[in-house]
């Protein structure tokens, strides 16, 4: 019996050692899991240099006449504007910026957001709005207007043209009331939309842009707003219109003209034929402002100038905001050219594929063409030398052709010239055998399986210890009973017989 007891105790000791051996990696498993979560959180919260609207903050600084100017090429123009921005929308590359994040009063460039909110909320532009006295309460008599009178019935379409061409302030309040119920509610919609567009330095206090201390924006934010508005074809048409005939309940074919001097007359010496809009603005506090859009061949540029001088040095009859804009665009088109970096379907990378017997490699191709405005002397081959891939090292089947797997960004000399998504070239079928084998393998390697092993080991040890403790007591009691029985007089008498 003593040998059996020793054997059981030795077995229990060995099981305890097994338990310790199994449990030892457990803290490391939990620690590894925590580390992975930490890395994931860092990745998730890490922000790239490119905004959600496609604007890249990465620029190259060259010699400029102003310490606050950052230009991506030499010989950048000197502008009178207090803040300025020039962006290539195809890649989001900033070609030129000056105090682009400084808060400035936007004046009537505010109306870009007003028009955007209206177009996003009104599907039938033939809807009519009747002018009310409240629409004129916050409009000064000497401010820009379209001559609309109280009680006059105007379509939303005509009001949009009045808003954007002669910059009619009463049209802004009529549209705001029509869409928002009150102009105050409409302003809340403007601020909400600005937040959605990623504007971080903007706050609107009215729908027209007349001066208020709490009504401000930045050149970079105005670009984001203008870019969003120009995705609407109706806005594009209005922004590039020189004149429009309004038809109201009181007037027929009432002619209104644009305030954009760059397109107003093609015969003017200061006209810029590649300009396609967008909006002017002026108050004594804001100075002269202009948000512009230009196209030259395949190249496109957005420009923003805020706080320009009242007169152009070259053409004193117009504000310097127009010549600032044309100078920036001419410089941009002269020093940069539109080039195709990659074409749709170009093969750029291969990655590993798991859980499939079809193949162990997946070919990734570009989802679409990537066209970017790049310096004219830059060889595209240099952009392809060291691309930055955002792709997993491996993926699991099944995969469908065209599934987005990641992206690739092309940069050179610190400047980001664009990002394109990468898609799977072909279908990859899932192997059911490999799938379930992988599931089983992961289960055996999982923390859950280790916990189950530990729990089972604990139960076995407890069971053995229980048997050693209570089983021994039971056996000793049985032996005691047998001994007492053997020693009893009745038992001895039965044996003698």
């Amino acid at each position: 019996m003593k040998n059996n007891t020793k054997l059981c105790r030795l077995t229990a000791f060995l099981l305890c050692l097994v338990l310790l051996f199994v449990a030892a990696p457990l803290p490391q498993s939990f620690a590894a899991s925590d580390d992975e979560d930490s890395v994931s959180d860092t990745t998730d919260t890490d922000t790239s240099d490119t905004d959600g609207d496609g604007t890249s903050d990465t620029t190259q600084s060259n010699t400029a006449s102003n310490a606050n100017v950052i230009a991506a090429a030499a010989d950048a123009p000197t502008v009178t504007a207090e803040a300025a921005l020039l962006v290539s929308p195809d890649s989001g590359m900033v070609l030129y910026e000056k105090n682009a994040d400084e808060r400035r009063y936007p004046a009537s460039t505010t109306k870009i957001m007003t028009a955007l909110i209206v177009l996003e909320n009104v599907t039938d532009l033939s809807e009519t709005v009747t002018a009310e006295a409240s629409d004129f309460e916050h409009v000064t008599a000497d401010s820009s207007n379209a001559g609309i009178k109280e009680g006059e019935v105007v379509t939303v379409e005509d009001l949009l043209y009045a808003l954007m061409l002669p910059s009619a302030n009463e049209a802004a309040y009529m549209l705001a009331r029509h869409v928002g119920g009150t102009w105050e509610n409409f302003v809340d919609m403007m601020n909400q939309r600005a937040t959605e567009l990623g504007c971080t330095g903007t706050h609107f206090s009215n729908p027209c842009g007349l001066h208020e201390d709490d009504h401000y924006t930045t050149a970079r934010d105005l670009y984001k707003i203008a870019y969003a508005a120009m995705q609407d074809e109706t806005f594009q048409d209005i922004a590039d219109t020189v004149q429009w005939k309004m038809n109201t309940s009181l007037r027929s074919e009432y002619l209104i003209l644009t305030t954009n001097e760059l397109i107003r007359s093609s015969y003017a010496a200061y006209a810029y034929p590649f300009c396609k809009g967008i909006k002017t603005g002026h108050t004594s506090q804001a100075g002269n402002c202009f948000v512009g859009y230009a196209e030259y061949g395949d190249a496109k540029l957005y420009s923003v100038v805020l706080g320009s001088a009242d007169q152009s040095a070259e053409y004193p009859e117009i504000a310097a905001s127009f010549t600032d804009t044309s100078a920036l665009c001419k410089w941009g088109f002269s020093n940069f050219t539109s080039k195709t970096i990659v074409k749709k379907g170009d093969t750029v990378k291969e990655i590993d594929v798991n859980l499939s017997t079809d193949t162990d490699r997946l070919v990734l191709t570009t989802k679409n063409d990537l066209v970017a405005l790049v310096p004219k002397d830059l060889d595209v081959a240099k952009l392809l030398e060291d691309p930055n891939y955002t792709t997993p090292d491996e993926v699991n089947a099944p995969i469908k052709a065209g599934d987005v797997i990641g992206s690739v960004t092309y940069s050179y000399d610190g400047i980001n010239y664009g990002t394109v998504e990468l898609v799977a070239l072909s279908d990859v079928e899932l192997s059911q055998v490999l799938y379930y084998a992988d599931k089983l393998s992961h289960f055996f390697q999982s923390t859950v399986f280790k916990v189950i092993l530990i729990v089972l080991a604990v139960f076995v040890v407890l069971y053995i210890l229980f048997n050693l403790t209570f089983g021994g007591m039971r056996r000793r009691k049985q032996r005691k009973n047998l001994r007492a029985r053997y020693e009893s007089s009745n038992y001895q008498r039965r044996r003698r017989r």
Side-chain angles (χ1 to χ4, degrees):
M1 295 302 296
K2 289 183 178 180
N3 291 335
N4 290 337
T5 301
K6 290 181 179 180
L7 180 62
C8 290
R9 288 176 179 174
L10 179 61
T11 303
F13 175 73
L14 291 175
L15 284 173
C16 287
L17 288 179
V18 172
L19 173 62
L20 290 173
F21 177 76
V22 173
L26 191 59
Q28 296 179 0
S29 299
F30 283 118
S33 177
D34 290 342
D35 288 343
E36 289 171 2
D37 290 342
S38 176
V39 171
S40 176
D41 292 342
T42 302
T43 303
D44 288 343
T45 57
D46 186 27
T47 56
S48 66
D49 289 337
T50 302
D51 293 337
D53 63 318
T55 306
S56 171
D57 290 338
T58 305
T59 52
Q60 178 181 349
S61 178
N62 287 320
T63 302
S65 61
N66 191 306
N68 294 327
V69 171
I70 302 175
D75 302 321
T78 300
V79 297
T80 67
E82 295 293 333
L85 188 70
L86 186 68
V87 181
S88 168
D90 289 329
S91 64
M93 178 185 174
V94 175
L95 308 184
Y96 178 102
E97 66 174 279
K98 175 183 178 182
N99 301 323
D101 297 305
E102 180 181 278
R103 287 184 178 180
R104 304 287 306 177
Y105 299 124
S108 285
T109 59
T110 299
K111 293 175 175 124
I112 301 172
M113 177 62 89
T114 304
L116 174 61
I117 299 298
V118 172
L119 289 168
E120 288 179 340
N121 289 274
V122 179
T123 55
D124 184 4
L125 300 185
S126 64
E127 293 178 9
T128 58
V129 185
T130 302
E132 297 180 358
S134 61
D135 299 324
F136 303 90
E137 288 178 357
H138 303 280
V139 177
T140 57
D142 59 344
S143 66
S144 55
N145 63 83
I148 300 172
K149 307 297 182 184
E150 183 179 347
E152 192 167 2
V153 181
V154 191
T155 65
V156 170
E157 181 182 37
D158 281 336
L159 285 173
L160 284 169
Y161 277 95
L163 177 80
M164 294 294 293
L165 272 60
S167 199
N169 290 326
E170 76 275 32
Y173 277 95
M174 290 174 67
L175 288 167
R177 175 173 53 82
H178 181 69
V179 173
T182 67
W183 69 265
E184 292 91 347
N185 288 341
F186 185 86
V187 170
D188 289 340
M189 296 170 67
M190 295 171 67
N191 286 317
Q192 177 61 36
R193 192 69 176 99
T195 300
E196 292 171 357
L197 292 174
C199 300
T200 57
T202 295
H203 181 267
F204 297 114
S205 298
N206 63 65
C208 67
L210 285 175
H211 180 73
E212 293 187 44
D213 290 342
D214 199 30
H215 188 96
Y216 53 81
T217 188
T218 69
R220 201 180 310 277
D221 284 357
L222 270 178
Y223 161 67
K224 296 175 184 179
I225 296 168
Y227 181 87
M230 286 292 283
Q231 306 314 300
D232 187 288
E233 292 184 1
T234 300
F235 183 91
Q236 292 179 28
D237 292 340
I238 296 173
D240 195 30
T241 298
V242 175
Q243 60 181 24
W244 179 259
K245 292 180 179 179
M246 289 178 59
N247 290 283
T248 74
S249 61
L250 301 179
R251 294 173 292 176
S252 178
E253 296 191 346
Y254 178 72
L255 187 66
I256 54 176
L257 300 173
T258 183
T259 55
N260 182 355
E261 296 291 351
L262 295 182
I263 66 173
R264 183 164 178 157
S265 173
S266 59
Y267 299 103
Y270 47 76
Y272 188 54
F274 306 114
C275 179
K276 305 298 180 182
I278 303 176
K279 188 69 189 77
T280 61
H282 173 266
T283 63
S284 58
Q285 296 88 350
N288 291 278
C289 308
F290 184 63
V291 179
Y293 172 72
E295 293 181 354
Y296 182 76
D298 293 332
K300 305 176 182 68
L301 289 175
Y302 281 85
S303 61
V304 181
V305 293
L306 302 174
S308 293
D310 288 336
Q311 287 185 316
S312 165
E314 188 176 3
Y315 304 103
E317 64 269 34
I318 62 172
S321 54
F322 299 112
T323 48
D324 283 349
T325 297
S326 58
L328 285 171
C329 291
K330 289 175 182 177
W331 171 80
F333 289 134
S334 296
N335 287 275
F336 300 85
T337 186
S338 181
K339 292 183 180 180
T340 300
I341 299 176
V342 292
K343 294 182 179 180
K344 179 180 179 180
D346 283 353
T347 298
V348 295
K349 190 178 184 181
E350 291 186 8
I351 60 175
D352 292 333
V353 179
N354 301 321
L355 311 183
S356 175
T357 55
D358 294 344
T359 180
D360 59 357
R361 300 286 288 173
L362 177 67
V363 177
L364 303 182
T365 64
T366 51
K367 185 178 181 180
N368 48 261
D369 293 347
L370 177 60
V371 180
L373 204 65
V374 301
K376 287 189 173 181
D377 59 353
L378 176 62
D379 185 356
V380 172
K382 293 182 178 179
L383 293 176
L384 304 177
E385 290 176 355
D386 188 24
N388 180 24
Y389 294 103
T390 305
T391 57
D393 294 330
E394 58 184 17
V395 291
N396 294 332
I399 298 166
K400 296 294 183 183
D403 284 353
V404 176
I405 305 300
S407 64
V408 58
T409 299
Y410 295 96
S411 304
Y412 180 74
D413 201 16
I415 300 175
N416 179 357
Y417 288 98
T419 299
V420 63
E421 290 183 325
L422 299 179
V423 298
L425 176 64
S426 57
D427 293 343
V428 179
E429 298 297 329
L430 172 68
S431 168
Q432 295 295 332
V433 173
L434 294 179
Y435 173 76
Y436 287 110
D438 180 72
K439 287 291 184 183
L440 193 60
S441 173
H442 278 78
F443 174 73
F444 286 135
Q445 297 174 17
S446 67
T447 301
V448 173
F449 179 70
K450 293 177 182 178
V451 170
I452 292 173
L453 282 180
I454 292 172
V455 171
L456 289 175
V458 169
F459 273 112
V460 170
V461 170
L462 291 176
Y463 177 77
I464 293 172
L465 293 175
F466 179 85
N467 282 336
L468 286 174
T469 303
F470 295 100
M473 293 174 61
R474 186 170 58 251
R475 285 190 295 273
R476 285 194 295 273
K477 186 176 181 179
Q478 289 174 349
R479 287 196 297 271
K480 183 178 180 181
N481 292 335
L482 287 173
R483 190 177 300 112
R485 181 183 174 190
Y486 176 78
E487 293 174 351
S488 68
S489 58
N490 290 335
Y491 181 76
Q492 293 295 335
R493 283 197 297 270
R494 284 198 297 269
R495 288 194 62 186
R496 284 194 294 269
R497 290 183 190 147

